[in-house]
Amino acid sequence: MLTLTDVVIDAPGRSQIVATIAAVVGFVFFGGVSAVLLLRFLRGR
């Protein structure tokens, strides 16, 4: 989470918007995939 915040804070100008969108998309994608894999693993036990 600190890395995402650091990218947004350090990005100058318009690239800040792009960095924010990329950070949110990456967080949702990897967070969602992690949650699905964890649920599949727990249900398989």
Side-chain angles (χ1 to χ4, degrees):
M1 195 64 175
L2 292 175
T3 304
L4 297 177
T5 306
D6 203 28
V7 167
V8 173
I9 290 172
D10 288 343
R14 289 189 173 184
S15 64
Q16 184 174 8
I17 295 169
V18 175
T20 303
I21 292 170
V24 168
V25 168
F27 181 73
V28 167
F29 177 72
F30 289 113
V33 170
S34 298
V36 168
L37 290 176
L38 181 63
L39 287 174
R40 290 182 70 186
F41 175 74
L42 292 175
R43 286 184 182 173
R45 292 184 109 191

